[in-house]
Structure formats: structure tokens, C-alpha cells
Amino acid sequence: MRPIANTRDVTGVPTGRLAIWWVIGSEIVIFGGLLASYLMYRLANPGWAGHAAHTNVVAGGFNTFVLLTSSLFAVLAHQAAEAGNGKKAAKLLIATTVGGLIFLTVKGFEWTHEIQLGYTITANTFWSFYYTAAGLHACHVIAGMIVMLIVAAKARRGVDLHHVELIGIYWHFVDVVWIFLFPLLYIAK
Amino acid sequence: MAVSVGSEPTAHEDHHHEQSFWSKYVFSTDHKVIAMQYMATGVVMGLIAGFFAYAFRMQLAFPGMDVPGFGIVTPADYVSLVTNHGSIMVFWVAMPVLLAAYGNYLIPLMCGCDDMVFPKINRLSYQVFLLSAIVLVASFFVPGGGFGGAWTAYPPLSAKAEYNLTPLGSSLWVLAVALEFVAFLLGGINFITTAMNSRAPGMKMYDIPVVIWMLLIASILFMLSVGPLIAAAIMLLFDQNLGTAFYDPNRGGDPVLWQHLFWFFGHPEVYVVLLPTIGLTADIISVFSRKKLFAYRTILYTAFGTGILSFFVWAHHQFISGIDPRMAHIFTVTTLLISIPIAEMMFVYIATLYGGSIRFTTPMLWALAFIGEFLIGGVTGIFLGASGADIYLHDTYFVLAHFHYTFFPITIIGFYGGITYWFPKMFGKMMNETLGKIHFWGTIIPFNFIFIPLFFLGMAGQHRRIYNFEHFPELATPGLQNIRVFATTALLIMLSFQLVFFYNFITSLRKGKKAGKNPWKANTLEWTTESPPPHGNWPPSELPSVYRPPYEYSHPDREEDYWPQNVPN
């Protein structure tokens, strides 16, 4: 049952949207702490460029394209939900989830290849950061996909259509984190 | 979930409607029940941490003694006891009691709404928290025992099993702390959104009681500071279990990174737990002075300023970690600056007392004691914030006594002040004032006798985390040993006086005088509903509206000396 508290919006911002922004605020500092640590180490260790050269920029670039495209589907799903078309929103959310799945599959091939070449998480602290940061990001992708499927199942029945926007905001955030990770881990040589 | 509007949530005999005991008390989504769950868990953890303090203080006063109820304290036991005493007191007592229990109980009631905005997330928050407490307690019983690398968990000691000798205990400790953070992030979302979005009609920003503001600011501070430590904890777990080298200087890592990430959270954390106590002290002082809170807006601005500044003081914990002296100087300046807003709040409280008609009830005594005792904590902090003095005093008992003079007022005084003030609302009964005062004096006097001597031991050069001072001839003199015995004796007295509180709590619960809606004649909204409030807090049609700020006491135009927020005129 929805409490009366949940129906009020003193700030003018719907409660769900307010909450998701606070979630993102706390997530930003988690990734912020990790990436700030990485940057400090990277600046102190110019030799890491040699390790970074072994990352697969093409795969990373393709994944960036996939994630950005999936975010477009999330926006379209939001648009459909605003128009009250739950079935269309659900289809578009599933398309977004497929984007996440492609992203993870490419990542799986990348990591398998790198591990076979001996670049494991303990090979060097660059690789430790590489797997930790990308792994933490991948956990967020997986969590987002699971929630998105739940939201899609509900949206298909026309229930809780405002959740489509919220999961979309979260998905964009996951996207933006990748936009930071890709240049820092892959491109910077 | 079946809802029983208007029923007594504490009546166990209530069998005639659908809710079972389990859905009502264990899996409840009611913010009041969740608050009680947090408080009960916090108190149980506090008893465990108090027992640990008893065991290691006995070892320090009487080295090698077979401690009654514990046994011989080995060096490994000793480090595990002090580590977990600190960890529990900060993460499993101060946080759940001050932020989660009072936050959960007070935010919906004082904002005039029926529950938190996301009751199920609220329930999940407590369940994750309970899991974290269970993981921590379980870590004491694994092979090797509980983690012994100090509550700050500095690597390399915390990162390598060869050094800390607790391969399982240290990982379980990190896991428990990480789960605890997840619980408070989930809870914090509710606190912030409820206070921002679900206030009663008419409750404008400056009509929010100070304690709610402080809980809100504390939740925001927590959310914005804990992230780097979560990242650091992941790295530490990987160093412990996967063999990465984030903190290993031999393989390109840096142990000081942990210190930065830990204290970037750790110092705002002090304010995360301080602000709720500052807030409830403000409410108690205003009510029992029967006087409008002095400079309400200044308190708010000061709290915002403190919150922002608290992100720029963390390196004062690292003055002897090889920090650049120029950088140490900057952090000395910010650290000394942050004492100004807190000192100002103390003056504001004293100004509130001035000219009031003061009532020395038990909650008022706790609130006044908070001002006095926290003052000592703040003033001794000046010596430690100054990098020059800190180089000598670092890691001595002076530091230990200093932060106990901050954390004891925050946690213990804050808890007792809050519980004695809101007990009538929570349980519908009055507490016994005489027993309350006996407990108050029996706690406050021995507390000072424990920690004032420790300042002197610290100045004499006694270092922390040493299990037996007999091994250090300069520190094993009879004079110093007598001080240790004195402090331990005071601790035993203080611990035994806590029985008075529990006795008072239970007898008041059973036989206390009926409290009625508003026994203290206070203005804030929680006093306008039944005691204890029913599920939903008010009947849905009677949810209050707000017409004025919360501290209109002794208004000249009014016959009565209080003016509730919900009364139109």
C-alpha cells in the first residue's frame, strides 16, 4: 500500500525522481573515489601506459556505441510511457536490456582474451584497477538490466509507468560512468 | 499488508485482525517499528561493545588477570577487542541509534506524515543492517578470531593475513562494514526524500524542527562521503582475497591511499553522528527552557557550513603519515576553522537557556551534560588539529580520551537524552524521574573519571593499542599503573549504573504513569497524536497542517506557554 507520504511533493519534484537522483549522487562518489585513486596512481606511474596499450580500444569503442544506443531506447521508452503506451515502453525497455547484454558479452570476450594473455587482476595495479572499475560498472549494468525487466513487465500491464523514467535515469548514469571509464582505461596511453 | 488504523501497535493480545506477530514486529514496514528494531539492535551491539571495553580495561589495569566472564586476554584477543569495540560503537551503535532509530521514528512524525515515502526500502534497510551485525558477530567465532587491525583498518596490517593473523576475521569485518553502508544508503534515501517532499501542508523550510534538519544534513553528508570508502573497501577485499596490490608498496601500491579514502569518509562521519545529537539537544533545551530557540536560522546555516567544511579536514588524521608539511598546514587551518561553527552552536544553546524557566527533567540534564562534556572534547581537539602538537600527541591516550569526549556525548548522551525525552511518545508511559536522575549522575560522573585520567596518561607518552604496559619500563611505574586502575574502576561503576536505566525502562514500560498526548507541553507535531502513535500516525483525515515555526514557547500573546505548530491561532 502506498503511504500518503509518498503522494506528497513539497519540492515540486516527484518523490521517485528525487530519490533516484540521490541514489545517483551516492553512486557518483563511489565511482569518484575509485577513479580519483586510479588517476593519482596513473599520474605517479607513467609506465602504466605500456599496460594500457594492451586494452582493446575497438571493442571498448563498440561497447560505448552499444551503450549510447541503448540509452536512446531508454529515452524512447520514457516517451512512450509519458504517452501512456505501456506496451511500446516495455518493448523499448527490452531493447535497452539487449543493449546491456551485448555490452556484457563483448566485455566477456575482451576479458577472456586479456586473461589468456596473462593480464589478470593481479598482473599489475593498472590491471587491478581495470578489472575493479569495469567490474563494478558491469555489476551496475546487470542490476540495471534486472530492474529494467521488472519495470518492463509491469509497464506491459500498464502498471507504474512512471518507473520507466526512473530506470531510464539510472541507465543514463551507468552510461555516463562508462563514458568516463572508456577514455581513462582504454584510450589514455 | 493488512493495516490496522487506530490499533495499539504495542498490544500483544491483538489477535482479532489479520496481522500476525511476524508481519507486525519482524517484517513490518511501519517506520516506528523499524526505528525500534534499529534501536534494539543498536543497544544489543552497545552491550557487546561495552563488554569488550570491560574486558580490555581489566587487562590494562590488571595485566594477565583472568577477567571474570571473559578469561585470560591474550594479545590477539586484546587487539580484536579494541578493534571491534571501536567498530561496533561507531558503525553499529552510533549510526543505528542516532541516525536510523531517531531518524526513522522522528522524521515522519515531526513532518506530519503517515510513514516514510518508501516503506519497503526502509524495511530492506533494516534487514541489510541486521545482516551486517550478524556477519560482524559471526566474525568473532571464526578460526583466528575477529579482526584485530584497529577500527581504522590501515593496510598493510589489514590487507595481509601474514600480518593480522585473522584471514577470515578481517574479510568478514570489511564485508560487515560494507553491508552496513548499504543499509544506511538505503535508509538515507528515505530520510532525505521524506523530509524534502512529504512534509505537512504549511510546513515551510524554516518550520522544520532542528532535529529533522540535522538528521537530513547528516544523511546527505553520509551519502556524499561514504562512496570513496566503499571503493576503498572493495580494493581492500581484493587485496586480502585476490592478491591485488592496491595498498602494497612493494608492488606499486600505496598504503596511504586507504588512509585518505578512509578519513575522507571518517571525518564527515563524525558530523554524521554529531548532528542528530546536536539537533535533539536543541529541541530538548528549547522545550525545557520554555523559551524560543535562539537564532534558529543561524543554527541551520552553521550546520550547512560545518557539513561543507567537514569534507576538507580529513588529513589531520595523517600528520605523521609522511604528509607534506605545507599540506599539513592547510589541514591545520581548516581543522581549527571547523571548531568555530560547533562552538557557535554551543553559545546559541546557552543563549537559549538564558532567561528561560528551566526545568531540570532527566532529558534536560542529558542535554545540558551534552554541552558541557562535548565542550571538553572540542577544546582538546584544538591541540590535535594543530599539526605541531599532534606530532607529539598522535596515537597516544590523549587522542583516545579526546575522541571519547566527543563520541560519548554524541552517542551515549545523545541516546539517553533522546530516549528519555521521546519515551512517553514511543511507549505511552512516563519514565521514573528519580531513577532517571540516579542513572544520569551514575553515568556522567564515572565517565569523567574514566577519561580525564587518560588525558594525563597520553601526555605522559602512553601509546594506544598496547596490550600490556609492563613490557615498557617507563610506562610501568606505579604512578601510571594506579591511574589505569582508577580509570578501570570508574568504568566498572559506570557500567553497573546502566542497570538502573534498564530497570527503569522495563518498570516504566509496565507500570509507568500514562503519558497522554503531550506530557512535556511541546510544540512539534509528534506530540499531537496518541502515545504511542497508531499505524499511520494520525487517522488519514486528521493529518496535521502547520501554521508556525516549532519553537514558539512563552509567547506574550498566549495564555499557555506553548503554541503547537498545528494550532491555527
Side-chain angles (χ1 to χ4, degrees):
Chain A
M1 197 187 83
R2 202 171 167 202
I4 296 164
N6 192 289
T7 60
R8 292 176 174 171
D9 55 343
V10 176
T11 56
V13 183
T15 301
R17 202 190 297 162
L18 194 65
I20 200 81
W21 279 111
W22 280 112
V23 172
I24 288 173
S26 62
E27 295 271 17
I28 286 173
V29 282
I30 298 178
F31 282 102
L34 192 60
L35 288 181
S37 306
Y38 167 72
L39 279 175
M40 297 301 280
Y41 276 29
R42 184 76 196 253
L43 292 173
N45 294 288
W48 285 12
H51 288 278
H54 295 287
T55 56
N56 190 339
V57 181
V58 177
F62 174 73
N63 258 348
T64 311
F65 173 75
V66 169
L67 265 195
L68 285 174
T69 313
S70 73
S71 259
L72 174 69
F73 289 131
V75 173
L76 294 174
H78 175 210
Q79 207 175 28
E82 292 274 276
N85 191 343
K87 286 220 167 76
K88 192 177 170 198
K91 273 184 199 148
L92 285 161
L93 282 182
I94 288 168
T96 317
T97 319
V98 171
L101 200 63
I102 296 172
F103 175 87
L104 291 174
T105 313
V106 173
K107 202 122 224 79
F109 279 113
E110 257 184 90
W111 283 18
T112 314
H113 183 64
E114 278 149 4
I115 290 168
Q116 280 170 348
L117 290 178
Y119 301 119
T120 60
I121 190 164
T122 51
N124 164 280
T125 305
F126 169 80
W127 291 102
S128 303
F129 272 111
Y130 173 83
Y131 287 108
T132 307
L136 188 64
H137 176 257
C139 290
H140 283 75
V141 173
I142 294 168
M145 284 163 61
I146 292 169
V147 177
M148 204 164 317
L149 289 176
I150 296 170
V151 173
K154 278 190 178 173
R156 236 164 68 90
R157 286 181 277 123
V159 182
D160 286 340
L161 281 179
H162 66 289
H163 287 177
V164 175
E165 180 197 358
L166 305 182
I167 187 64
I169 296 175
Y170 174 83
W171 193 256
H172 297 325
F173 162 75
V174 172
D175 209 351
V176 170
V177 170
W178 179 253
I179 300 290
F180 277 89
L181 292 184
F182 178 55
L184 287 174
L185 294 174
Y186 288 71
I187 299 178
K189 296 291 193 288
Chain B
M1 179 169 287
V3 175
S4 55
V5 174
S7 77
E8 285 237 12
T10 48
H12 286 262
E13 302 78 14
D14 242 1
H15 285 309
H16 54 270
H17 56 75
E18 305 286 314
Q19 266 183 313
S20 67
F21 172 82
W22 288 93
S23 66
K24 204 166 178 185
Y25 297 104
V26 182
F27 298 108
S28 173
T29 53
D30 185 335
H31 71 102
K32 298 183 291 296
V33 177
I34 293 170
M36 292 304 149
Q37 291 172 331
Y38 264 116
M39 187 170 286
T41 315
V43 169
V44 170
M45 294 303 276
L47 291 175
I48 295 173
F51 175 70
F52 286 3
Y54 153 78
F56 66 70
R57 276 306 320 173
M58 290 298 274
Q59 159 65 21
L60 288 174
F62 313 105
M65 179 199 190
D66 190 351
V67 178
F70 186 87
I72 303 282
V73 180
T74 65
D77 288 339
Y78 181 82
V79 288
S80 178
L81 287 172
V82 293
T83 299
N84 287 295
H85 169 78
S87 311
I88 292 175
M89 280 299 186
V90 174
F91 294 126
W92 283 277
V93 180
M95 294 280 289
V97 169
L98 297 174
L99 196 59
Y102 289 140
N104 260 312
Y105 198 85
L106 298 176
I107 290 175
L109 275 168
M110 291 178 103
C111 291
C113 53
D114 58 338
D115 206 328
M116 288 286 183
V117 287
F118 305 117
K120 283 182 187 163
I121 292 181
N122 208 16
R123 178 179 59 186
L124 181 65
S125 152
Y126 173 72
Q127 288 168 343
V128 174
F129 172 75
L130 182 65
L131 184 65
S132 79
I134 292 170
V135 169
L136 186 82
V137 172
S139 80
F140 308 150
F141 301 102
V142 294
F147 177 51
W151 83 278
T152 51
Y154 282 8
L157 181 60
S158 60
K160 293 212 167 184
E162 303 93 285
Y163 302 153
N164 59 42
L165 303 176
T166 53
L168 286 169
S170 49
S171 291
L172 285 175
W173 183 89
V174 180
L175 184 68
V177 170
L179 283 171
E180 201 259 4
F181 292 159
V182 172
F184 279 88
L185 285 174
L186 290 170
I189 295 165
N190 256 318
F191 294 178
I192 298 170
T193 43
T194 306
M196 283 176 81
N197 242 6
S198 304
R199 301 195 301 274
M203 188 182 250
K204 294 186 286 295
M205 264 177 65
Y206 295 118
D207 299 333
I208 304 173
V210 170
V211 63
I212 300 299
W213 266 118
M214 296 298 171
L215 288 162
L216 175 64
I217 299 170
S219 302
I220 295 175
L221 277 185
F222 180 79
M223 283 187 116
L224 297 184
S225 65
V226 77
L229 185 54
I230 293 178
I234 295 169
M235 291 191 259
L236 184 58
L237 267 179
F238 284 1
D239 268 15
Q240 287 172 343
N241 298 304
L242 299 181
T244 56
F246 290 111
Y247 303 120
D248 184 349
N250 293 324
R251 291 164 55 208
D254 186 354
V256 179
L257 172 69
W258 169 271
Q259 299 184 19
H260 281 295
L261 297 175
F262 184 88
W263 290 115
F264 182 81
F265 159 77
H267 214 83
E269 166 72 9
V270 175
Y271 298 93
V272 169
V273 291
L274 169 64
L275 290 178
T277 300
I278 288 255
L280 62 92
T281 309
D283 272 61
I284 292 169
I285 284 182
S286 183
V287 168
F288 294 113
S289 310
R290 312 310 295 166
K291 191 159 164 272
K292 189 171 180 164
L293 187 68
F294 186 84
Y296 169 93
R297 291 190 185 197
T298 311
I299 294 178
L300 292 192
Y301 303 149
T302 307
F304 292 136
T306 311
I308 293 166
L309 202 52
S310 74
F311 284 94
F312 301 98
V313 297
W314 82 88
H316 68 221
H317 295 273
Q318 298 163 248
F319 285 151
I320 62 159
S321 302
I323 190 172
D324 186 321
R326 290 164 294 183
M327 194 53 96
H329 200 76
I330 293 171
F331 279 98
T332 295
V333 172
T334 54
T335 303
L336 298 188
L337 275 180
I338 206 165
S339 60
I340 296 172
I342 300 299
E344 187 207 294
M345 289 196 199
M346 299 294 140
F347 283 121
V348 165
Y349 291 175
I350 294 167
T352 305
L353 292 167
Y354 180 79
S357 46
I358 294 172
R359 274 140 215 210
F360 286 108
T361 57
T362 312
M364 183 63 161
L365 289 178
W366 287 111
L368 295 174
F370 172 76
I371 298 179
E373 303 292 351
F374 192 79
L375 198 68
I376 301 177
V379 168
T380 51
I382 304 283
F383 298 93
L384 301 170
S387 54
D390 184 65
I391 288 168
Y392 175 72
L393 293 170
H394 189 95
D395 234 357
T396 65
Y397 269 61
F398 190 90
V399 176
L400 184 144
H402 155 71
F403 71 71
H404 278 87
Y405 259 103
T406 60
F407 268 103
F408 182 91
I410 291 172
T411 312
I412 308 299
I413 296 184
F415 165 63
Y416 285 132
I419 193 81
T420 48
Y421 180 60
W422 279 292
F423 185 91
K425 182 50 61 183
M426 289 171 175
F427 304 105
K429 303 281 180 69
M430 300 302 286
M431 281 186 104
N432 184 315
E433 279 288 307
T434 316
L435 288 175
K437 280 170 185 159
I438 292 171
H439 169 240
F440 170 78
W441 291 111
T443 305
I444 285 295
I445 296 172
F447 160 69
N448 287 288
F449 283 142
I450 300 169
F451 289 104
I452 286 180
L454 301 191
F455 280 118
F456 291 100
L457 285 176
M459 285 186 280
Q462 176 174 315
H463 257 245
R464 293 167 69 188
R465 293 166 183 151
I466 289 173
Y467 125 95
N468 186 348
F469 290 102
E470 282 175 332
H471 302 146
F472 298 83
E474 285 82 8
L475 295 174
T477 61
L480 295 181
Q481 192 58 31
N482 283 342
I483 298 179
R484 287 177 206 125
V485 174
F486 184 84
T488 299
T489 313
L491 174 78
L492 295 178
I493 296 171
M494 187 178 88
L495 288 178
S496 54
F497 264 98
Q498 304 317 303
L499 293 174
V500 179
F501 172 77
F502 288 105
Y503 175 77
N504 188 6
F505 190 94
I506 291 165
T507 51
S508 303
L509 209 56
R510 293 180 56 195
K511 298 189 215 131
K513 194 158 70 75
K514 277 245 184 287
K517 278 188 179 179
N518 191 358
W520 308 124
K521 299 196 189 314
N523 286 343
T524 40
L525 293 178
E526 80 272 29
W527 302 105
T528 65
T529 182
E530 302 297 326
S531 308
H535 193 101
N537 297 341
W538 288 271
S541 58
E542 292 172 30
L543 280 169
S545 292
V546 167
Y547 299 92
R548 66 185 52 77
Y551 302 109
E552 297 297 326
Y553 293 104
S554 306
H555 196 280
D557 302 340
R558 294 268 301 175
E559 209 161 286
E560 278 173 320
D561 70 347
Y562 68 115
W563 201 356
Q565 284 189 282
N566 67 326
V567 176
N569 47 52

